[in-house]
Amino acid sequence: MFGKKYKNEFLKMFEEVNSFSNEDETDKPKLIKDIVKLFIKNFRHQSFQYQLVWSVRILCWLLIFAIFIMGIVIRIKNIF
């Protein structure tokens, strides 16, 4: 009843993870600009599959953005 209390290993694992995450927060880039620069800088060192997937994602977003801009231009032309 009054024996030595043992820490729960499951809770200990989370305490260790939290201590590591607090140390790494200073190394993480805070601004989106820094994140984009880091992505571009490390892009060529990634695997081919990673490069292919992200290239397709970026091209799709550019296509969606271009269609959005064209829609705005067409609506403005119709007003005037």
Side-chain angles (χ1 to χ4, degrees), residues 32-49:
I32 293 176
K33 179 179 75 172
D34 296 335
I35 294 171
V36 171
K37 281 183 181 179
L38 187 63
F39 175 77
I40 292 170
K41 187 178 189 181
N42 293 328
F43 186 74
R44 69 178 117 146
H45 302 296
Q46 302 296 331
S47 67
F48 176 72
Q49 183 179 7

Side-chain angles (χ1 to χ4, degrees), residues 63-79:
L63 182 65
I64 290 170
F65 185 70
I67 291 171
F68 175 73
I69 296 297
M70 285 177 47
I72 290 175
V73 169
I74 290 172
R75 285 186 183 201
I76 289 174
K77 281 186 177 179
N78 287 339
I79 291 174

